[in-house]
Amino acid sequence: MHPPPFRPASRVATVVLALALTACGGSPSPSEPPAPPPGPTAPGAMAQAPTVAYQAKRFDFSWPAEPLATYYQVGVATSTSARTVLADNLTGLHHAVADIDLVDHDLTTDYAVRACNATGCGDWSPTRLPDANQAIGYFKPMVPGVLSFGRINKLAPDGRTLAVQAGAQSLQLFTRDVTGWRHQQTLTRPEMRGVGSIAFSGEGTLLWGGYHSGSIGGVEDPGEVFAYRFDGSAWVQQQQIDYPGPAVGTKLAFGGGVALSLDGRIALVSAIGSVLNGGVPGKVYVYRRDDTTGWGLVATLAPAFEQPTALFGGWLAISADASTIAATSVYHPSGSALDESDTSSPSSGAAHVFRRVGGTDNWVQTAYLKEPVIAASSNFGSALALSGDGSTLAIGARNSQVAYVYQGANGVYGTPQTLAYAPSAARFGYDLAMTNDASRLVLADMNSGDLSAGLGHTPVAAGVTWVGAAYVFTLQGGSYQFGSYLKAPNPRINSYFGLFMSVAGEEGSVAIGSPSESSGATGVGGDWSDTSGTNSGALYLY
């Protein structure tokens, strides 16, 4: 009798045997790999909203670390738009949202942060809605005791440098870098007195003009202009430009107005003292900069018919490309839109436009502009702005409480658009400024009585005086429409917010002076709630 033949174990039995061996310390079948280790885990949601600190036109966000995060994202949303990633691959615990355009800032904009690693990102943190009013730039003189700071101010075309006259003999310069705004330098001229004028080019030239005590070329108290260049670390005086003569009159106010082309090659200087000296007509002098010899006079501009007491050149502007020059005569007496020699409407005002002939140093008058309805003492020409190509010209008429915008080509302009949006205005159109592309036009009314503070308000009539406001218009379909309304974050009666202002021609920031603001703070970002510095003045940046 034979034994039964051998039969191999079934697959199930084999697996059972292998498991048993494994449990007893044996080895699994070499054909079965070990179980993989647990995969990485994505970070969880951030538990807290990011904190925020404020600087001029800047939000500085920070947040606590998340243990599983290798980087972070900052997201932004508004009431009408879903959240999107604003900043990615942030390995630190902070992020600055800088150079905020506060003029057009959506006040519903909120921010959140989330933690991420190679696996993915967690949920967004709770949101943070910053108070944009806290980011309004607030600049004060660097030392106490200065009066009327902010009355004369100028932004460089790129918006990165700000010059503010502090008293008669000091010009304070502020600059923006990766850390924010800071004081850069103070220029002083002991011989200067009174109100000056400032101009920047786009490539690092600064002109500072004003009255001074003394005699130059036989003329008493004529005024002067100082030209500076930025050498990469400081502003260095390049040249002093003196009144070119002839020796007539006194107190000619040479340097009362200055302007620069964007490339810094062409400069304008006006001598506007016709009223001060009893009848010498104003002039606008045109200078060209040579890299070797410096600034040299190349042309002298005057109206086709000079009016001795018109204050020609009191406000002047040059287009970015130097093709067009405009100058106003706020006391021009003509009552005619055609006859410059007429004297029937004292102080009605006028503007003159000059156009460059080819690439030469010759500019010829192409336009003589009067207010559409001429009225004595309206002071048409009390403010002036010109677009970069010279095609758009804005002119204020402070006693008519309006401004006019002219559009045209080659120095010839059509019927203007009238802007009058100031329910409590008595000085609407006293000052205005425009970007080089003419997309943004800002008008100030230093007599607005509205005590609302900061951003996001609607203009209203109010019963107090000289608080001040600014109105921003945008170019839409060929005409200007009211867009936004700017107020000081600390509005006060008799502070004259908007007496003078400037716009960064290329970048669009708006600087507004308030020469009777009363905080005793100094420097950048001080306490604007203080009231210990009567008439010290301030400058606000939007």
PDB file of all heavy atoms in Angstrom, residues 260-263 318-323 387-390 436 506:
ATOM      1  N   LEU A 260      10.610 122.288 -13.972  1.00  0.00           N
ATOM      2  CA  LEU A 260      11.629 121.478 -14.625  1.00  0.00           C
ATOM      3  C   LEU A 260      10.985 120.480 -15.579  1.00  0.00           C
ATOM      4  O   LEU A 260       9.930 119.907 -15.269  1.00  0.00           O
ATOM      5  CB  LEU A 260      12.447 120.696 -13.594  1.00  0.00           C
ATOM      6  CG  LEU A 260      13.631 121.395 -12.930  1.00  0.00           C
ATOM      7  CD1 LEU A 260      14.099 120.588 -11.721  1.00  0.00           C
ATOM      8  CD2 LEU A 260      14.781 121.563 -13.925  1.00  0.00           C
ATOM      9  N   SER A 261      11.627 120.244 -16.720  1.00  0.00           N
ATOM     10  CA  SER A 261      11.215 119.144 -17.586  1.00  0.00           C
ATOM     11  C   SER A 261      11.559 117.818 -16.905  1.00  0.00           C
ATOM     12  O   SER A 261      12.378 117.773 -15.982  1.00  0.00           O
ATOM     13  CB  SER A 261      11.911 119.236 -18.945  1.00  0.00           C
ATOM     14  OG  SER A 261      13.322 119.153 -18.783  1.00  0.00           O
ATOM     15  N   LEU A 262      10.946 116.744 -17.370  1.00  0.00           N
ATOM     16  CA  LEU A 262      11.131 115.451 -16.716  1.00  0.00           C
ATOM     17  C   LEU A 262      12.581 114.988 -16.787  1.00  0.00           C
ATOM     18  O   LEU A 262      13.092 114.379 -15.841  1.00  0.00           O
ATOM     19  CB  LEU A 262      10.208 114.409 -17.348  1.00  0.00           C
ATOM     20  CG  LEU A 262      10.135 113.051 -16.647  1.00  0.00           C
ATOM     21  CD1 LEU A 262       9.586 113.190 -15.237  1.00  0.00           C
ATOM     22  CD2 LEU A 262       9.284 112.070 -17.454  1.00  0.00           C
ATOM     23  N   ASP A 263      13.279 115.279 -17.890  1.00  0.00           N
ATOM     24  CA  ASP A 263      14.656 114.833 -18.025  1.00  0.00           C
ATOM     25  C   ASP A 263      15.656 115.754 -17.348  1.00  0.00           C
ATOM     26  O   ASP A 263      16.865 115.503 -17.374  1.00  0.00           O
ATOM     27  CB  ASP A 263      15.028 114.647 -19.503  1.00  0.00           C
ATOM     28  CG  ASP A 263      15.036 115.952 -20.294  1.00  0.00           C
ATOM     29  OD1 ASP A 263      14.784 117.026 -19.703  1.00  0.00           O
ATOM     30  OD2 ASP A 263      15.271 115.893 -21.517  1.00  0.00           O
ATOM     31  N   ILE A 318       5.738 123.459 -17.064  1.00  0.00           N
ATOM     32  CA  ILE A 318       6.339 122.975 -18.289  1.00  0.00           C
ATOM     33  C   ILE A 318       5.943 121.522 -18.462  1.00  0.00           C
ATOM     34  O   ILE A 318       5.866 120.767 -17.483  1.00  0.00           O
ATOM     35  CB  ILE A 318       7.876 123.146 -18.268  1.00  0.00           C
ATOM     36  CG1 ILE A 318       8.484 122.781 -19.622  1.00  0.00           C
ATOM     37  CG2 ILE A 318       8.510 122.342 -17.144  1.00  0.00           C
ATOM     38  CD1 ILE A 318       9.964 123.155 -19.745  1.00  0.00           C
ATOM     39  N   SER A 319       5.633 121.114 -19.679  1.00  0.00           N
ATOM     40  CA  SER A 319       5.295 119.723 -19.921  1.00  0.00           C
ATOM     41  C   SER A 319       6.518 118.850 -19.705  1.00  0.00           C
ATOM     42  O   SER A 319       7.661 119.319 -19.755  1.00  0.00           O
ATOM     43  CB  SER A 319       4.758 119.547 -21.345  1.00  0.00           C
ATOM     44  OG  SER A 319       5.725 119.935 -22.299  1.00  0.00           O
ATOM     45  N   ALA A 320       6.293 117.574 -19.469  1.00  0.00           N
ATOM     46  CA  ALA A 320       7.398 116.655 -19.194  1.00  0.00           C
ATOM     47  C   ALA A 320       8.409 116.636 -20.321  1.00  0.00           C
ATOM     48  O   ALA A 320       9.617 116.514 -20.102  1.00  0.00           O
ATOM     49  CB  ALA A 320       6.841 115.250 -18.942  1.00  0.00           C
ATOM     50  N   ASP A 321       7.930 116.780 -21.569  1.00  0.00           N
ATOM     51  CA  ASP A 321       8.814 116.741 -22.728  1.00  0.00           C
ATOM     52  C   ASP A 321       9.341 118.118 -23.133  1.00  0.00           C
ATOM     53  O   ASP A 321      10.022 118.245 -24.161  1.00  0.00           O
ATOM     54  CB  ASP A 321       8.113 116.086 -23.920  1.00  0.00           C
ATOM     55  CG  ASP A 321       6.841 116.828 -24.346  1.00  0.00           C
ATOM     56  OD1 ASP A 321       6.550 117.905 -23.777  1.00  0.00           O
ATOM     57  OD2 ASP A 321       6.145 116.323 -25.235  1.00  0.00           O
ATOM     58  N   ALA A 322       9.020 119.158 -22.359  1.00  0.00           N
ATOM     59  CA  ALA A 322       9.471 120.534 -22.598  1.00  0.00           C
ATOM     60  C   ALA A 322       8.905 121.134 -23.869  1.00  0.00           C
ATOM     61  O   ALA A 322       9.351 122.196 -24.306  1.00  0.00           O
ATOM     62  CB  ALA A 322      11.001 120.629 -22.612  1.00  0.00           C
ATOM     63  N   SER A 323       7.890 120.510 -24.462  1.00  0.00           N
ATOM     64  CA  SER A 323       7.307 121.056 -25.688  1.00  0.00           C
ATOM     65  C   SER A 323       6.402 122.245 -25.428  1.00  0.00           C
ATOM     66  O   SER A 323       6.193 123.081 -26.312  1.00  0.00           O
ATOM     67  CB  SER A 323       6.507 119.961 -26.414  1.00  0.00           C
ATOM     68  OG  SER A 323       5.393 119.549 -25.619  1.00  0.00           O
ATOM     69  N   SER A 387      -0.332 118.746 -18.380  1.00  0.00           N
ATOM     70  CA  SER A 387      -0.030 117.335 -18.568  1.00  0.00           C
ATOM     71  C   SER A 387       1.354 117.151 -19.180  1.00  0.00           C
ATOM     72  O   SER A 387       1.967 118.098 -19.684  1.00  0.00           O
ATOM     73  CB  SER A 387      -1.089 116.676 -19.466  1.00  0.00           C
ATOM     74  OG  SER A 387      -1.050 117.225 -20.770  1.00  0.00           O
ATOM     75  N   GLY A 388       1.838 115.917 -19.173  1.00  0.00           N
ATOM     76  CA  GLY A 388       3.188 115.643 -19.634  1.00  0.00           C
ATOM     77  C   GLY A 388       3.429 115.960 -21.086  1.00  0.00           C
ATOM     78  O   GLY A 388       4.545 116.311 -21.478  1.00  0.00           O
ATOM     79  N   ASP A 389       2.396 115.843 -21.929  1.00  0.00           N
ATOM     80  CA  ASP A 389       2.548 116.162 -23.341  1.00  0.00           C
ATOM     81  C   ASP A 389       1.997 117.529 -23.712  1.00  0.00           C
ATOM     82  O   ASP A 389       1.990 117.905 -24.890  1.00  0.00           O
ATOM     83  CB  ASP A 389       1.882 115.091 -24.212  1.00  0.00           C
ATOM     84  CG  ASP A 389       0.375 114.976 -23.969  1.00  0.00           C
ATOM     85  OD1 ASP A 389      -0.171 115.757 -23.155  1.00  0.00           O
ATOM     86  OD2 ASP A 389      -0.250 114.103 -24.591  1.00  0.00           O
ATOM     87  N   GLY A 390       1.523 118.277 -22.722  1.00  0.00           N
ATOM     88  CA  GLY A 390       1.014 119.617 -22.961  1.00  0.00           C
ATOM     89  C   GLY A 390      -0.385 119.691 -23.528  1.00  0.00           C
ATOM     90  O   GLY A 390      -0.887 120.789 -23.803  1.00  0.00           O
ATOM     91  N   ASN A 436       1.128 113.392 -14.957  1.00  0.00           N
ATOM     92  CA  ASN A 436       1.613 113.655 -16.312  1.00  0.00           C
ATOM     93  C   ASN A 436       0.692 113.080 -17.391  1.00  0.00           C
ATOM     94  O   ASN A 436       0.589 113.647 -18.479  1.00  0.00           O
ATOM     95  CB  ASN A 436       3.022 113.088 -16.485  1.00  0.00           C
ATOM     96  CG  ASN A 436       4.081 113.940 -15.801  1.00  0.00           C
ATOM     97  OD1 ASN A 436       3.820 115.089 -15.436  1.00  0.00           O
ATOM     98  ND2 ASN A 436       5.253 113.389 -15.605  1.00  0.00           N
ATOM     99  N   GLU A 506       4.469 111.059 -12.191  1.00  0.00           N
ATOM    100  CA  GLU A 506       4.504 109.733 -12.780  1.00  0.00           C
ATOM    101  C   GLU A 506       3.794 108.692 -11.916  1.00  0.00           C
ATOM    102  O   GLU A 506       3.234 107.732 -12.434  1.00  0.00           O
ATOM    103  CB  GLU A 506       5.961 109.295 -12.987  1.00  0.00           C
ATOM    104  CG  GLU A 506       6.742 110.182 -13.936  1.00  0.00           C
ATOM    105  CD  GLU A 506       6.259 110.046 -15.363  1.00  0.00           C
ATOM    106  OE1 GLU A 506       6.299 108.943 -15.908  1.00  0.00           O
ATOM    107  OE2 GLU A 506       5.819 111.073 -15.943  1.00  0.00           O
TER     108      GLU A 506
END
